[in-house]
Amino acid sequence: MEQLTLTRPDDWHLHLRDGEALKAVLPHTVRQFARGIIMPNLKPPVRSLPDAAAYRDRILAAIPPGQTFEPLMTLYLTDNTRPEEILKAKDSGFVKAVKYYPSGATTNSEFGVTDIRKCDRIFETMQQVDLPLLLHGEVTDPDVDIFDREKVFIDRHLIPLKQRFPQLRVVLEHITTSDAVEYVLNADNIGATLTPQHLLFNRNRIFQGGINPHFYCLPILKRETHRQALLKAATSGNPKFFLGTDSAPHTRTSKESACGCAGCFSALHALELYAEAFESVNALDKLEAFASFYGPDFYQLPRNTEQITLTKTTWRIPDRVPFTESGLVPLRAGQEMTWKMA
Ligand code: DOR
Ligand code: ZN
């Protein structure tokens, strides 16, 4: 197959940052995706409807002239979020979900939730008005091994949460384990996003020939058996599994540091990376639904109608994307890709 025509995809999990960083990264996403679920972990986070409205305006202002992109906003859940904020968010029409970060789990999660049970009033309201909950599904307990954090989150928090709120629609974000796949397959009112890095690489990649900080993200890459389970889920044609890049730009110097930031920057070539992953298991015929149908179906939004084309051709991923002096290093920088979006 030399060309692949797909309905234009959307990115159901995206970090766009703010200010100059937003201006540097947004054009890459706009080139590939029609819409994106925008993560609220700014400094300070997007906690209220006015925060979300103002951030949305800044995103819209950063779209390159003549192009279109629809930012689908989220609110950052804290211990102090009030039910009224949820009602206002739902009424706004442009806030599509609420994001749960366990406090301390990842980048800018200091304002996150300290105890998920404290949020039951919020979950009750979200269930009532049918506003989805997006989970960073990891525990932060320092006694739990970093590779087990997702599974322990599911057992300790997600299973009880779904028992308390069976109708609450949940997305388990950026899943990384076969345990998450199994759980999502067997539960109701739940979907999951999958990133290109978790479909393409296992944890060896972080340490191949030395330490590779550009492959460090959270949840961290897992062992090969988990990668295979994720790839199987993504290419299964099950609508519970859909595209969410988790493209999370950090400057090169903040990644290549004694205490490097977590996040892979994939906005430049996300769709091509997914195409490679799907092709590796002869499942290119399943890419369109994963990338363009199941996400809007979950969010109860119309599917896009425009089409895009991927062509089989070799090209080299640039070493840097311009941003500050340091630049941003795309995922798998300097290496060859075999698909290219026109
Ligand atoms: O690797 C990650 N980077 N994981 C997250 O959960 C947050 C993200 C970021 O914002 O940099
Ligand atoms: Zn993320």
Side-chain angles (χ1 to χ4, degrees):
M1 206 186 292
E2 296 304 310
Q3 279 211 331
L4 199 57
T5 297
L6 309 177
T7 300
R8 183 175 286 279
D10 304 299
D11 186 347
W12 300 96
H13 183 128
L14 175 65
H15 298 269
L16 286 177
R17 314 303 191 204
D18 211 345
E20 292 305 307
L22 166 64
K23 289 180 198 147
V25 300
L26 181 62
H28 299 291
T29 289
V30 170
R31 208 175 62 78
Q32 299 213 322
F33 299 104
R35 297 170 286 195
I37 284 277
I38 312 303
M39 287 299 122
N41 62 333
L42 303 182
K43 264 182 171 175
V46 179
R47 284 169 289 188
S48 67
L49 184 61
D51 291 347
Y55 185 31
R56 179 171 177 271
D57 287 344
R58 296 196 295 279
I59 296 168
L60 292 173
I63 297 171
Q67 302 197 38
T68 55
F69 179 73
E70 190 182 354
L72 308 170
M73 307 309 290
T74 61
L75 291 190
Y76 183 116
L77 188 61
T78 73
D79 288 350
N80 303 316
T81 306
R82 292 155 50 89
E84 300 83 83
E85 206 64 53
I86 302 298
L87 298 175
K88 282 191 256 171
K90 176 73 184 185
D91 281 348
S92 77
F94 60 78
V95 174
K96 298 298 185 191
V98 174
K99 178 70 188 266
Y100 163 87
Y101 286 105
S103 180
T106 186
T107 310
N108 300 343
S109 62
E110 309 78 83
F111 291 85
V113 173
T114 54
D115 176 357
I116 196 164
R117 288 189 169 262
K118 285 190 189 157
C119 299
D120 275 7
R121 274 173 71 224
I122 298 296
F123 299 147
E124 181 75 56
T125 308
M126 289 172 63
Q127 178 172 257
Q128 250 165 34
V129 300
D130 196 23
L131 192 63
L133 174 66
L134 314 183
L135 295 175
H136 184 108
E138 288 194 288
V139 293
T140 51
D141 184 338
D143 294 339
V144 177
D145 190 278
I146 187 169
F147 293 102
D148 298 333
R149 286 180 187 171
E150 186 172 272
K151 177 174 169 33
V152 174
F153 178 85
I154 293 168
D155 294 341
R156 255 187 221 171
H157 300 304
L158 181 52
I159 292 172
L161 175 77
K162 286 298 284 176
Q163 279 163 357
R164 298 200 298 285
F165 303 101
Q167 303 303 321
L168 178 64
R169 283 192 305 133
V170 169
V171 183
L172 190 53
E173 299 282 8
H174 42 53
I175 59 170
T176 63
T177 58
S178 58
D179 310 282
V181 170
E182 277 309 302
Y183 178 74
V184 169
L185 282 173
N186 291 303
D188 292 329
N189 298 317
I190 190 161
T193 52
L194 291 126
T195 76
Q197 63 267 26
H198 293 104
L199 293 177
L200 285 168
F201 311 113
N202 65 41
R203 64 193 190 180
N204 287 353
R205 193 64 193 74
I206 310 169
F207 306 103
Q208 197 175 299
I211 194 149
N212 291 257
H214 300 290
F215 291 86
Y216 170 58
C217 65
L218 289 171
I220 197 160
L221 297 176
K222 304 297 191 299
R223 63 169 66 238
E224 177 64 9
T225 48
H226 292 299
R227 187 187 75 87
Q228 300 234 350
L230 300 174
L231 199 47
K232 188 170 164 207
T235 58
S236 65
N238 186 320
K240 285 180 163 176
F241 301 102
F242 47 90
L243 184 157
T245 64
D246 200 13
S247 177
H250 292 275
T251 59
R252 182 176 61 79
T253 45
S254 60
K255 296 281 298 170
E256 297 172 8
S257 150
C259 186
C261 296
C264 296
F265 174 51
S266 61
L268 192 73
H269 52 336
L271 194 58
E272 291 95 330
L273 291 166
Y274 284 110
E276 283 196 13
F278 276 59
E279 189 177 38
S280 73
V281 289
N282 288 319
L284 278 173
D285 60 321
K286 298 290 199 301
L287 181 61
E288 182 178 40
F290 170 83
S292 314
F293 297 162
Y294 300 151
D297 294 355
F298 180 90
Y299 280 90
Q300 300 169 347
L301 293 169
R303 295 176 179 181
N304 297 321
T305 50
E306 200 193 334
Q307 296 203 311
I308 57 105
T309 302
L310 290 170
T311 306
K312 190 99 211 191
T313 180
T314 307
W315 61 285
R316 188 174 171 279
I317 305 167
D319 294 320
R320 302 261 192 289
V321 167
F323 174 58
T324 68
E325 225 178 287
S326 160
L328 299 166
V329 179
L331 185 63
R332 229 176 64 185
Q335 295 184 8
E336 286 197 337
M337 297 285 316
T338 54
W339 287 98
K340 190 156 183 41
M341 195 175 143

